Amino acid sequence: MKLLTIYGSPTPPGKLARALTLVENEVRALYPVWTVDRLSPEPTGNPVVGYWGADAVERVREADAVVLASPVFRGSFTGTLKLLVDALPNEALRSKPAGILTVAAAPQHFLSAERHLRDVLSWFGALTAPNSAFFVDSTFAEDNVSDEARSDLREFVEQVTALAERLPRHHFGPDPLHVRFTRSRAHNASTPATRKTT
Ligand SMILES: Cc1cc2nc3c(=O)[nH]c(=O)nc-3n(C[C@H](O)[C@H](O)[C@H](O)COP(=O)(O)O)c2cc1C
């Protein structure tokens, strides 16, 4: 089984990177049958833009489960992560277990990026884990991370691996709205217009 962690920050390394490393280490320690791979954007020198490599889409497509990790930027997830999401084909995340990990400076912003990511994951028909992991960034200011945060990350990881192991490549219906919309448009285009005869 392959877990792909997707690091959505344009400015590595940072507190999110530290949190994501703990996630990856938990998977390696607790789930030896899993391989873990991190997908990161390449920094561009622009503090809010990172570019995704040519293999990024294929790596998402191949994964059995993904963790989408983002810092909160302006009350949402990063534009850098959105660049990747917009490049994904419709089926890349369909029925795929997906966990959401976010960090922010302000605790009041705990749902900011999560709710937007949930919307986007719903568009794809992803199998989004019910409980996301959110942390105030100071939690990961140093290597010495609290036991409480580590325990939360362990439970977070357990959700994602359990979904993938218990529902391997299960295909959930109904089709997401964009699939149904595309199908009905194609159907209408191929059906000859009915003419009223008098
Ligand atoms: C452009 C930008 C926008 C940000 N917007 C918010 C925000 O709306 N709310 C918030 O709580 N923190 C915000 N932050 C703070 C980051 O979420 C926080 O510092 C986070 O730890 C950055 O991730 P990193 O440490 O991995 O680089 C923003 C930071 C940047 C650079």
Side-chain angles (χ1 to χ4, degrees), residues 109-132:
H109 285 188
F110 75 104
L111 284 176
S112 308
E114 175 185 338
R115 66 202 176 98
H116 294 149
L117 280 166
R118 282 191 182 274
D119 280 356
V120 168
L121 288 166
S122 297
W123 188 90
F124 284 96
L127 184 57
T128 306
N131 302 303
S132 300

Side-chain angles (χ1 to χ4, degrees), residues 112-190:
S112 308
E114 175 185 338
R115 66 202 176 98
H116 294 149
L117 280 166
R118 282 191 182 274
D119 280 356
V120 168
L121 288 166
S122 297
W123 188 90
F124 284 96
L127 184 57
T128 306
N131 302 303
S132 300
F134 168 84
F135 298 92
V136 174
D137 60 0
S138 56
T139 310
F140 302 104
E142 294 171 7
D143 280 336
N144 190 13
V145 174
S146 71
D147 288 345
E148 191 186 349
R150 286 173 186 273
S151 164
D152 285 350
L153 287 173
R154 197 170 304 125
E155 287 184 317
F156 170 70
V157 158
E158 191 191 336
Q159 288 179 102
V160 180
T161 53
L163 285 170
E165 287 176 358
R166 293 184 198 168
L167 302 163
R169 302 271 170 172
H170 190 91
H171 192 74
F172 290 100
D175 287 332
L177 286 176
H178 70 86
V179 176
R180 284 185 268 164
F181 178 68
T182 310
R183 204 171 39 223
S184 72
R185 258 206 322 202
H187 174 76
N188 290 343
S190 65

Side-chain angles (χ1 to χ4, degrees), residues 2-119:
K2 275 190 205 166
L3 175 69
L4 185 72
T5 60
I6 303 174
Y7 175 69
S9 170
T11 51
K15 290 145 195 154
L16 181 70
R18 194 169 270 141
L20 204 52
T21 299
L22 290 173
V23 163
E24 293 157 354
N25 289 345
E26 285 295 335
V27 176
R28 290 187 184 109
L30 298 175
Y31 307 97
V33 295
W34 281 77
T35 59
V36 192
D37 185 23
R38 182 185 299 189
L39 179 60
S40 302
E42 288 160 25
T44 59
N46 180 325
V48 292
V49 181
Y51 282 136
W52 300 93
D55 62 346
V57 167
E58 197 47 39
R59 285 167 69 188
V60 174
R61 207 204 290 259
E62 281 177 355
D64 294 291
V66 293
V67 168
L68 270 64
S70 180
V72 173
F73 274 15
R74 301 287 186 262
S76 187
F77 61 98
T78 62
T80 295
L81 185 53
K82 188 70 163 65
L83 286 175
L84 173 66
V85 164
D86 287 351
L88 295 176
N90 298 347
E91 76 288 354
L93 293 172
R94 175 82 189 267
S95 300
K96 187 167 288 189
I100 297 172
L101 167 65
T102 59
V103 299
Q108 294 84 348
H109 285 188
F110 75 104
L111 284 176
S112 308
E114 175 185 338
R115 66 202 176 98
H116 294 149
L117 280 166
R118 282 191 182 274
D119 280 356

